[in-house]
Amino acid sequence: MAMNHATIENIKGLSETEAAERLKSEGPNELPSSKPRSLFAIAFEVVREPMFLLLVSCGAIYLLVGDIEESLMLLGFVFVVMGITLYQERKTERALEALRDLSSPRARVIRDGVEKRIAGRDVARGDILLLTEGDRVPADAVLLDAVNLTADESLLTGESVPVRKAAGDASAEMKRPGGDDLPFVYSGTLIVQGRGVAQVISTGINTEIGKIGKTLQTVEHEETLLQKQTDRLVRNLAIVGASLCVVVVVVYGLTRGNWMQGFLAGIALAMATLPEEFPVVLTIFLAMGAWRISRKNVLTRRVPAIETLGSATVLCTDKTGTLTLNQMKVSELFSTGQTHETSSPNSDSLPEHFHSLVEFSLLASQKDPFDPMEKAIKELGERYLSQTEHIHHDWTLIQEYPLSKKLLALSHVWKSPEGSDYVIASKGAPEAIANLCHFNDIQIDDLTKTVSGMADKGLRVIGVAQARFQKPSLPGEQHDFEFEFLGLIGLADPIRPTVPRAIQECKTAGIRVVMITGDYPGTAQNIARQIGLASPDRFITGPEMDAMSDEELRRKIKEINIFARVVPEQKLRLVMALKENGEIVAMTGDGVNDAPALKAAHIGIAMGKRGTDVARESAALVILDDDFSSIVQAIRMGRRIFDNIKKAVAYILAVHLPIAGISLIPVLFNWPLVLLPVHIVFMELIIDPACSTVFEAEAEEANVMNRPPREKNKPLFGRRTVLISLLQGGVVLAITLAVFAISRFRGHGELEARAMTFTALIMANLGLILTNRSWSKTIWATLKSPNKALWWVVGGATFFLGLVLYNPFLRNLFHFAPISPIEVAICLTAGTVSILWFEAWKMLRKSIQDPA
């Protein structure tokens, strides 16, 4: 029996003194935010990376030996990269702050017998809450009184349909959310209908939403594969560079007796082999990738995850709001043995015998509904009945009969201005409506078959009935009315139109899609069939998971793509099981319940429109338009980024070999030094970073989404890639050394020979860029593909080279002598010849693969 208003007035609630004591001893009703790392702490983590330590060390050495210009250029470059990294790091850990904000809404309480509104953080255990439609529940509580109360608990359970609530005993033991007629309401959930009075049981970290936050604190992000592989490559090259640097210093000092020049030569060689371009390449490629992908409605919160997404093997997706629209729609009507599909192309008008069904479903709903199902019914009425006599804005609501455990139906009693009779509209569970209409066994069997057929389509079915009453006083129960059955309404949460095609693209790309939902297996299977998910007939439920060992789950998860009735901790367990199976896991979600799994996955992908702040802060990517197909665009972009990083790093390896060789060989053969630190700084700070943008701007390969994800442990370069890069660099080294030797043989001085060798090296450098744009298409073919960055780089490099050769101040700074246009042409020819063999190899390879 519902508690009357007089009884509520007798509730005194906590006193202000009691509330203050409990808040002092138990803490405020909020989640403690994670302690933010200071800017200095983040900076310290950044500079501990080997690549940054090497850069800073080299800059400091240059400063000590007096090469201030080179030192300032290099250290400036370090600080630019570090600034970008700090900016990204600063934005990555805010999930607990968002969770705290969500869990602390305003609250109406009774204290000292007086109703008052207080901040959610000031709610104490034992407080009496007053809840009405549209309120956010501030703490976990037990209902002392409830009138037609329903709550949206999708944040905690993933179920899109609100659940009914019933009053209970204040001493009742708290249970987990999910299911109808429980006497508990939970912090962060939303009251969508009715009103109630509740007593707070748990606050802050002890609530259900607080337990999720506690789980979130224990999950750590992992380094991406690309970061691990790049660190390994940087360390190896650093060891090689340091070793060669020592050799050069010792050899130069012993053979020539000039240890200072030997020291400078060693530093030049170390600079030639140091891989300082790698952090720049990663930063530029991933930052530009984030910008490009934002134009596809995908926001990047952790930039390295873009590349990792391209290698994802499993995509775990929530159902509600991700695969579906999270908007209840009336899909089907049933009345007098006939069915009408409102979603069919021919449903512009509604047959007359369905009008009463829609009319009384409206009368059994709120005029201005908050409940998603009632919103769908109102939308249906506006669509079909807005210009008919079946809409009754002038009728007066006399009484409501709420849902109860005994009868899952509610009724509204209306009176028209001109009529004397009461008009009663009822809706609820089909079996409850059949009970009100006093169906016989045959009618019940027929109704059950119809309801089962609609439920098999994934529809949520409600029955509708009408009655008239002429007596002056209304009865106490709905059963006292003579109801007439009008029909059934089938509601669905429709799939997003773009999802089936996106699922198919994932299949083509070798990415397995797994649905993880809090909904029922039948609904999940129906959605799976609609979207084309593999093996829709097989599923595992949450309770079945609880009975499995971790080993059994890891074995079965290899074949099952539907997980239904799953609670938050189980979502996290599924992600961890997939990771233990060696999968690269991407996880989509939009609710608080998804946050731990989003954070634990290699790539967490949150929905931007309907997603909670907690989900967005825990994720690496946010889909701004909530469109599942945008994830496919992100995957395409991730694969393109990895391909282009591979091209760029292969180019960097190729171009570093001649730079290092020209720095080392003159020392070993007692020649004049060819490359000084200023030359290497010029090449590294202008040519190499600029050239990286050329490869970043390259479009994806034609087969980028028609191949499986790359293997988890596959290195950034295979042996074939390294071999070809070394061959490219070796040929450039041989030809540039030949230019130096020929220039000296012709009697040119040291400065002129150095100018010609440097010019030939720059030309060969540009040739390496052009030829490495594609390892399958020739330079001529790639020039047909637009790449504005290419022409900026080629033009810029040529312009600065001209300044260095013909501006007296810069020429002296670079220790060059003037060279003639004919000698420049010779250098251009040498640079061109250095890459012709690779172009010939591409054409030969193509002719073998395509003999026709």
Side-chain angles (χ1 to χ4, degrees), residues 51-63 67-82 267 270-272 274-277 279-280 677 680-682 684-685 689:
M51 59 187 74
F52 287 102
L53 288 175
L54 290 170
L55 285 171
V56 172
S57 299
C58 279
I61 291 172
Y62 274 121
L63 192 61
D67 291 331
I68 298 176
E69 294 86 354
E70 291 89 341
S71 176
L72 291 178
M73 292 172 71
L74 185 58
L75 291 175
F77 191 52
V78 172
F79 291 129
V80 169
V81 176
M82 186 183 296
I267 292 297
M271 282 295 300
L274 277 176
E276 66 268 19
E277 295 91 353
V280 181
I680 298 171
V681 171
F682 175 88
E684 292 178 347
L685 297 187

Side-chain angles (χ1 to χ4, degrees), residues 570-583:
Q570 292 170 332
K571 290 188 178 186
L572 180 58
R573 187 185 174 199
L574 285 170
V575 169
M576 299 307 294
L578 286 166
K579 290 172 70 174
E580 289 171 6
N581 281 348
E583 305 284 3

Side-chain angles (χ1 to χ4, degrees), residues 691 694 766 769-770 788-800:
C691 291
V694 174
L766 297 179
I769 297 169
L770 292 169
K788 294 180 180 179
L790 172 67
W791 302 115
W792 279 105
V793 168
V794 172
T798 305
F799 173 74
F800 283 111

Side-chain angles (χ1 to χ4, degrees), residues 591-604:
V592 172
N593 60 311
D594 297 321
L598 286 173
K599 191 175 180 183
H602 292 103
I603 315 104

